[in-house]
Amino acid sequence: MSLHAYLTSTSPASRRQARLGALYRAWRVLRRNPLAMVGLIVVAALVLIAAIGPALVGSPTAQDLVGRLRPPSPDHWLGTDTLGRDILARVVHGTRITLLTVALVAVVVAPVGLAVGTVAGYFGGVVDGVLSRLTDVFLAFPRLILALALVAALGPGIENAVLAIALTAWPAYARVARAETLAIRDSDFIAAARLAGASAPRILWRQVMPLCLSSVIVRLSLDMAGIILTAAGLGFLGLGAQPPAPEWGAMVAAGRRVLLDQWWVATMPGIAIFVVSLGFNLLGDGLRDVLDPKAR
Amino acid sequence: MSPLLAPSPLLVIDDLRVTFPTDAGPVEAVRGLSLTMGRERLGIVGESGSGKSMTGRAVMGLVPVPGRVTARRLVFDGIDLTAPGSVARLRGRRMTMVMQDPRYALNPVMTIGSQILEACHIAGLSGRAARERALAMLTAAGLGEPERVFAAYPHQVSGGMGQRAMIAMMLAPGPDLLIADEPTSALDATVQRQVMAVLDGLVRERGMGLILISHDLDLVAEFCDRVLILYAGRVVEECRPGELARARHPYTRGLLAARPRLDRTQALLPVLRRDPAWLHEESPP
Amino acid sequence: MIRPLLRLFPSLALTFLGLLAVTFVIGRVVPIDPVLTVVGDRADAAAYARARADLGLDRPLYRQFADYVVRAVSGDFGESVLTARPVIEDIARVFPATLELATAATLIGVLLGVPMGVVAATRQGRWPDHVIRVVGLVGYSVPVFWLGLVGLLVFYARLDWVAGPGRIDIIFDSLVPTVTGVILVDGALAGEWEVVADAARHLVLPAAILGYFSLAYISRMTRGLMLEQLRQEYITTARAKGLSETTVVWRHALGNAMVPLVTVIALSYGTLLEGSVLTETVFAWPGLGQYITSSLLNADMNAVLGGTVVVGTVFVGLNLVSDLLYRRLDPRAR
């Protein structure tokens, strides 16, 4: 059987075949969306650049005070900043910081949100009341403000920035997971699992969470851009990764002083933030259309 | 051809096709349907997916956007409905449509009265005259407290009342043709006959044409002068209600046999078996 | 309106309490010993103990929290380390500037965003839809501080169409008596039209930048809500009645979409408060966002936490308002 026939078969012979088939079909739908493909390319490029880019460009911290504030040229494609550092090198190295931030936040936020949301939705009652209240409290804070407060307390730095963003981002996922759990809680297959003797944690882990996963993934991909922007905002205020780390938001802030005459110092890192955000947004929109077509 | 042909028929449809583009290629919801009707009550019966609703919408020009409507002839009282803009001028004035479920088919944030007034305004009435017509129609539709219904929101009235309001709204402009798309399917069984009787009475009183679209063969048989049976987008049989027992097409006979009877004990209801050959038949002339 | 308010009150109170709990914890998490900041690190044990007692830090944690809550409810957030004045006074001074900015931006967002969303929905798949979606998408992806800087570069430095950073020119500062704290209004009340014009010239760019974000969000949400409404049965009924497409879209569909849309707008106002933090920094706008940021850089925890509680409270308030509005507008929810 050819690969294509294997993946598109309407009567899969094994669970793996069914899963791969579903993934393949989802991929086909995604592929038809040109904007989503653009987003995918951007995100893939980001990962690629973060992986091998730093090896290809120069040093992000090498200063050259004689050659400072040079406009874009064949030597320095994006120009040099106030300390003569190559902006292209800094932007490329900055992709690692961006990717790290996003990945760390995602890795914290999705499991926590899933756990809280599914538990609240499944058990209901007092448990739900307490957890929902907790979720509401954190939802009551605009992300940046709470992040500011946390950083004020703990001090600046990338770890605290990640913690602050994660702390404000998880409630949305808990809400999504809770809504999904409530919708399937009374289903027959859950009742069947209970009758078969499955314990609550097992049901949650094996039945409920996988069903919430696609909503969480959609939410996550749509949120990525927001997380990047919040992190950049914190960086702009000087609260993220500290200098000389080439964090994009901080780079924009540094370029502010020379904005009027050497516009590229602030503009180039800003463009980087924009492009990456846009890529995640496009990809997120595309994934949402694939995984949750009713919400188009 | 039907012996009930009026001197100038109200509606003539010849080879109507409604096509929807899908990922798997174009799908024809209506495949070459033809009918002619005068000021009579015509019933169109079929199951889900038979194309009966689409037929009604095609006449009204309300087929949802990706769908395409083509026909050799689609003429209402001498007016060509395929000409651009012609249907829009007739809608709400000479042709109206009653929908299935008043909970969804009425605007939930507007009062029933204001919605009926809209229809009256289209008909050229305004101010007090419009309000009087609206209240008169509500009364004619069998509502005992027309002022209360007038001021109420759709969710505040029962299904039967809502449907009567819908009928009032669609008959207020005094149309020549009313298309009723499953008008009682969302109602309780006890209320269905009452509402149908109201609709029937009003239609007969005004000498209007009525197209009654339903999946309920008995309902259509009771309230129509002629019945068309639709299967897979085509007319497979046409007869008078009294002649249904002598229907010839196997699909019709299958439908008749599948209805539960109260006067006989049946251990098993016969299940309709579909012959793929029905998909390719020519419609009866 | 009163009854739903009363019914919502317990959950509101709990959320507010939670808010205070979070800020309380953050306040305690500060690694610097607050007692030392008061007595210095050369104080002897007795002075240290006295200072600790003065600050109330020797009491059990729950009592400290209770005191904190009582004080917060009465608006006492302590004194600012920087200005040595009660934090609440400082906040009251700077808050109107933020309100002015957020309100102007929301107006732009609604007046432009809603029609854009409607047009995008009715022309779905065609070029107006694509253009509007791209505009919205850019608004979602561009960092607000960067856009502000670019805006200043282009419209102030290069084109000189608008005034530069700051809320008003120095010559006009404090020229009009403060009635509402909103210079546009105070200036008009005092009849000082030059002041109003200058204030407007300063407001235009930051409001436009923030307004763009509001517009992006609102147009996207409007589009989604309108698409959902246009699929409903009552739209077909309206068309079957012979109503013009304009009436069907703007009276029937939008009328229904408005119900959840009002919630969206109220919540977007809250998001603007967040966006204003960065915008105020870029434009040197003396509002609450700038206050929190500069307090943060000066390690003025009382001010930061006080500002955080105020913003959080406004958020909760907005949620409440949108909930009540929803109930008023949707006849099914009354």
Side-chain angles (χ1 to χ4, degrees), chain C residues 189-213:
Chain C
L189 288 176
E192 296 272 8
W193 298 107
E194 268 191 30
V195 177
V196 174
D198 188 64
R201 280 194 80 205
H202 279 88
L203 182 61
V204 164
L205 193 57
I209 302 282
L210 262 189
Y212 178 58
F213 285 89

Side-chain angles (χ1 to χ4, degrees), chain B residues 259-266:
Chain B
R259 292 171 305 167
R261 306 272 306 255
L262 285 176
D263 57 344
R264 272 204 321 240
T265 322
Q266 280 175 296

Side-chain angles (χ1 to χ4, degrees), chain A residues 203-223:
Chain A
I203 293 182
L204 282 178
W205 175 249
R206 304 216 62 192
Q207 311 275 11
V208 176
M209 281 198 200
L211 287 171
C212 302
L213 204 57
S214 68
S215 299
V216 166
I217 289 177
V218 168
R219 188 76 216 218
L220 202 59
S221 55
L222 289 173
D223 240 354

Side-chain angles (χ1 to χ4, degrees), chain A residues 133 136-146 148-150 152-154 229 232-233 236-237 239 252 256 259-260 263 266-267 270-271 273-274 277-278 281-282 285 288 294 296, chain C residues 11 14-15 18-19 22-23 26 29-31 137-138 140-143 145-146 149 153 157-158 220 227 231 274 277-278 281-282 292-293 296-297 301 304-305 308 311-312 315-316:
Chain A
R133 187 64 50 227
D136 283 345
V137 165
F138 279 97
L139 271 177
F141 281 98
R143 241 181 230 181
L144 196 61
I145 309 280
L146 189 61
L148 285 181
L150 261 169
L154 299 170
L229 291 174
F236 180 73
L237 294 172
L239 303 172
V252 175
R256 209 175 139 198
L259 178 68
L260 299 182
W263 53 270
T267 310
I271 293 178
I273 302 173
F274 171 53
S277 252
L278 189 65
N281 265 329
L282 289 174
D285 269 353
R288 189 196 49 200
K294 322 178 240 99
R296 192 182 312 224
Chain C
S11 88
L14 274 175
T15 310
L19 211 91
V22 171
T23 45
I26 294 177
V29 164
V30 177
L137 204 56
V138 167
Y140 263 51
S141 316
V142 70
F145 54 88
W146 179 77
L149 287 177
L153 184 64
R158 299 272 186 263
R220 185 189 175 107
L227 283 178
R231 280 197 283 260
E274 179 180 15
V277 168
L278 294 166
T281 306
V282 168
I292 294 180
T293 320
L296 186 153
L297 295 170
M301 281 311 292
V304 172
L305 291 179
T308 307
V311 175
F315 244 50
V316 171

Side-chain angles (χ1 to χ4, degrees), chain B residues 136-157:
Chain B
M137 285 309 305
L138 284 172
T139 314
L143 286 165
E145 295 175 295
E147 273 98 1
R148 186 172 91 70
V149 174
F150 190 90
Y153 286 96
H155 71 280
Q156 292 172 321
V157 301

